[in-house]
């Protein structure tokens, strides 16, 4: 069992930046394919970004490329999501997810490929 804990979500005004983090006590995140998903009220959960197991290869939701950056700090054993130029459309609960599989790029956005999920952290973007 892998327990994931997200942090960093808060209220932010449009145009601002936030950095989300995810930790898994007792587990080496580099051994898992890691991802961020988000869910807004009334909408389905959607893929945000992923980083492959054992590498720093990343994948993003197309519309978020250039604004969001996923990274894994192996020394700190932390998964991060740097979010810039936030808009109200970024308001959502953000979830960290881990897969024991070495996923191919085309599968990274499929939430059914992920075995473990955090409880989520709320990001609210408003004036």
């Amino acid at each position: 069992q892998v327990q994931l804990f997200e942090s960093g979500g808060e209220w932010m005004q449009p145009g601002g930046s936030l950095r989300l983090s995810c930790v898994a006590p007792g587990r080496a995140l580099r051994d898992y394919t890691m991802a961020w998903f988000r869910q807004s009220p009334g909408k389905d959960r959607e893929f945000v970004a992923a980083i492959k197991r054992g590498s720093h290869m990343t994948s993003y939701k197309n519309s978020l490329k250039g604004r969001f950056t996923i990274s894994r700090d192996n020394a700190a054993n932390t998964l991060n999501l740097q979010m810039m130029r936030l808009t109200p459309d970024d308001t959502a609960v953000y979830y960290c997810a881990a897969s024991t599989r070495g996923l191919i790029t085309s599968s990274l956005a499929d939430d059914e490929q992920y075995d473990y999920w955090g409880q989520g952290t709320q990001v609210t973007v408003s004036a």
Side-chain angles (χ1 to χ4, degrees):
Q1 186 74 13
V2 179
Q3 291 186 299
L4 301 171
F5 299 94
E6 304 96 335
S7 63
E10 62 178 271
W11 172 84
M12 177 56 63
Q13 59 187 1
S17 298
L18 280 176
R19 182 182 179 90
L20 305 183
S21 295
C22 174
V23 296
R27 301 288 181 169
L29 293 184
R30 65 179 179 272
D31 294 337
Y32 300 87
T33 299
M34 300 298 300
W36 289 96
F37 288 78
R38 67 184 184 184
Q39 187 166 22
S40 304
K43 295 185 179 180
D44 293 335
R45 184 165 59 192
E46 67 173 359
F47 172 73
V48 173
I51 186 165
K52 288 189 174 184
R53 184 178 71 179
S55 80
H56 291 283
M57 294 181 65
T58 59
S59 179
Y60 294 90
K61 177 181 170 65
N62 283 337
S63 62
L64 300 178
K65 287 180 182 178
R67 286 200 305 122
F68 286 21
T69 303
I70 188 172
S71 62
R72 186 183 60 236
D73 185 333
N74 289 336
N77 201 30
T78 302
L79 179 75
N80 300 305
L81 182 69
Q82 180 68 43
M83 305 185 294
M84 301 186 300
R85 301 190 299 279
L86 288 164
T87 76
D89 287 342
D90 296 317
T91 296
V93 178
Y94 284 73
Y95 297 93
C96 173
S99 174
T100 57
R101 305 169 186 81
L103 300 177
I104 59 175
T105 301
S106 60
S107 296
L108 290 171
D110 181 0
D111 60 0
E112 294 186 359
Q113 299 296 327
Y114 293 86
D115 307 292
Y116 304 102
W117 294 82
Q119 292 299 306
T121 186
Q122 176 71 50
V123 172
T124 302
V125 184
S126 65

